[in-house]
Amino acid sequence: MKIICNGADLSDAVSKVYKAASVRTTNVILEGIKLKAADGSLTLTATDLELAIEKCIVADVLIEGETVVPGRFFSEFVKKLTFDRIELSLDEANRLKIKYTDSEGMLQCMNPLEYPQIKELGEAQSFSVTKKDFKDLVNKIAFSVSADDARPMLKGVLLEIGEDAVTGVALDGYRLAKCVKAVEKTTAMMSAVVPARCLVEISKLLEDSDDLVEVRIQRNYMLVDLGHTRITTRLLDGDFINYKQIIPGSFESSVTVPKDQFESGLERAILLARSDKNNLVRFDVKDGVMQLSSNSDIGNITEKIPVKLNGMDIAIAFNARYFTELLRYIDCDNIVIKFINSVSPCVVVPAGSLEEFMYLILPVRMLS
């Protein structure tokens, strides 16, 4: 193998694919990045067997070939090489020479025949959605998945694809996030549970644009094709929780609250709550005021925020972290919080929204 390529292109490609390389494994080959030179391009691939990222860059291929480089070293070394011209050449001992200006480095590589094959999705079902919508859907729900290895299905995001919309759902047993986005076209109604970590990496590679991205689903795999970049992920196997049964159908009260005031008030109240490691903040809503209060051995904090209340007064307590994490992803002036009573879950939606996005939170039982 011998190629010449642009240093900035190589650095960018390595930084993207290395996110899929395994960092904790007994199989050393999975820590590597596969390089394949053919047909006027260099293809870089990394995988941890759950997520795979492939990226092609233009290269002057003098001799075709392939090898597997140590991922961590190659990634750190190449990102410091932004020269216009980088020459990569492989000798008979499977050592890669990296030549730049008048300098060079030599890297012992691994056998490409030992590298796992990336799943090819042939006659797969697919749907298309704008890049900005898919990115927004992932960002608004993926943070709500469980971190508990004992409940692997809850570490994934459910994608339900209908005739004209894709619905994403994530939950961890204490909260639930749901987001709906329009699809431009679909070949079939389908569903899949995608590891949240993989979806987050996919969203990082998506531009905030109206260009379409095609998502293919076949049996236990999903492929996102971005042209010169392809991301393949294994799907989680099993039944997702019937989330529709969890979402209340009616409420006794709704509170419209200014998002910025609510967020800053919560952040101050949670300072004391965090000292007790329970993040417990009490919400008391009556007479057009929402009072947030937290207590600990070192003191107490009370925040008062003007609100619009429709329905009954409410006194309820929450792990406030679930609210502060949510508010990072809501871009609006006001939010609406819907309540049933002090022991039932509440639902949060942006004011004036068409129910594109909703968030459900279970309360914490108050002692008094």
Side-chain angles (χ1 to χ4, degrees), residues 93-324:
N94 201 23
R95 294 177 301 181
L96 185 71
K97 181 189 289 186
I98 308 170
K99 191 172 182 180
Y100 48 99
T101 60
D102 294 325
S103 304
E104 64 181 42
M106 187 71 76
L107 194 57
Q108 183 62 53
C109 299
M110 293 173 278
N111 186 352
L113 297 179
E114 298 177 3
Y115 202 78
Q117 292 291 318
I118 306 304
K119 177 71 175 179
E120 291 289 337
L121 273 64
E123 298 298 320
Q125 303 292 351
S126 67
F127 68 96
S128 297
V129 61
T130 65
K131 292 180 179 179
K132 70 176 184 182
D133 279 352
F134 197 49
K135 185 182 185 78
D136 190 50
L137 180 146
V138 173
N139 290 342
K140 282 183 173 175
I141 64 176
F143 69 93
S144 296
V145 299
S146 174
D148 187 359
D149 290 333
R151 307 180 74 182
M153 288 301 291
L154 297 190
K155 298 182 76 172
V157 171
L158 172 68
L159 297 180
E160 293 182 319
I161 299 90
E163 294 181 357
D164 54 10
V166 53
T167 300
V169 179
L171 57 93
D172 66 0
Y174 300 97
R175 57 180 170 178
L176 178 151
K178 173 187 169 187
C179 188
V180 181
K181 296 290 184 180
V183 295
E184 297 298 320
K185 59 180 179 180
T186 181
T187 61
M189 297 177 66
M190 55 191 136
S191 66
V193 182
V194 189
R197 179 185 73 87
C198 300
L199 271 183
V200 169
E201 293 302 335
I202 291 170
S203 74
K204 291 177 182 177
L205 297 173
L206 294 175
E207 304 163 0
D208 192 13
S209 74
D210 290 322
D211 294 337
L212 294 181
V213 57
E214 183 184 56
V215 182
R216 301 178 203 164
I217 296 174
Q218 185 185 70
R219 294 183 182 176
N220 297 322
Y221 291 89
M222 184 179 85
L223 169 69
V224 177
D225 193 345
L226 303 178
H228 294 297
T229 305
R230 290 159 51 98
I231 310 105
T232 306
T233 175
R234 282 183 179 270
L235 302 177
L236 296 177
D237 186 19
D239 294 325
F240 200 76
I241 289 178
N242 186 350
Y243 71 91
K244 295 178 182 178
Q245 292 183 343
I246 301 173
I247 302 172
S250 60
F251 302 90
E252 295 297 323
S253 306
S254 68
V255 178
T256 303
V257 56
K259 185 250 184 180
D260 290 342
Q261 285 183 258
F262 182 51
E263 185 172 21
S264 58
L266 267 181
E267 288 174 349
R268 288 187 290 268
I270 206 174
L271 291 174
L272 277 184
R274 192 179 295 125
S275 68
D276 282 345
K277 300 181 181 180
N278 60 12
N279 299 309
L280 181 64
V281 174
R282 176 173 170 137
F283 294 49
D284 288 279
V285 186
K286 63 180 179 179
D287 300 330
V289 174
M290 173 184 282
Q291 178 175 292
L292 308 175
S293 55
S294 60
N295 299 278
S296 76
D297 292 340
I298 62 175
N300 60 77
I301 294 176
T302 300
E303 296 275 339
K304 293 185 177 181
I305 304 168
V307 299
K308 179 181 178 181
L309 171 64
N310 288 320
M312 306 290 290
D313 296 347
I314 186 77
I316 193 168
F318 294 99
N319 179 335
R321 178 175 63 87
Y322 295 144
F323 274 98
T324 58

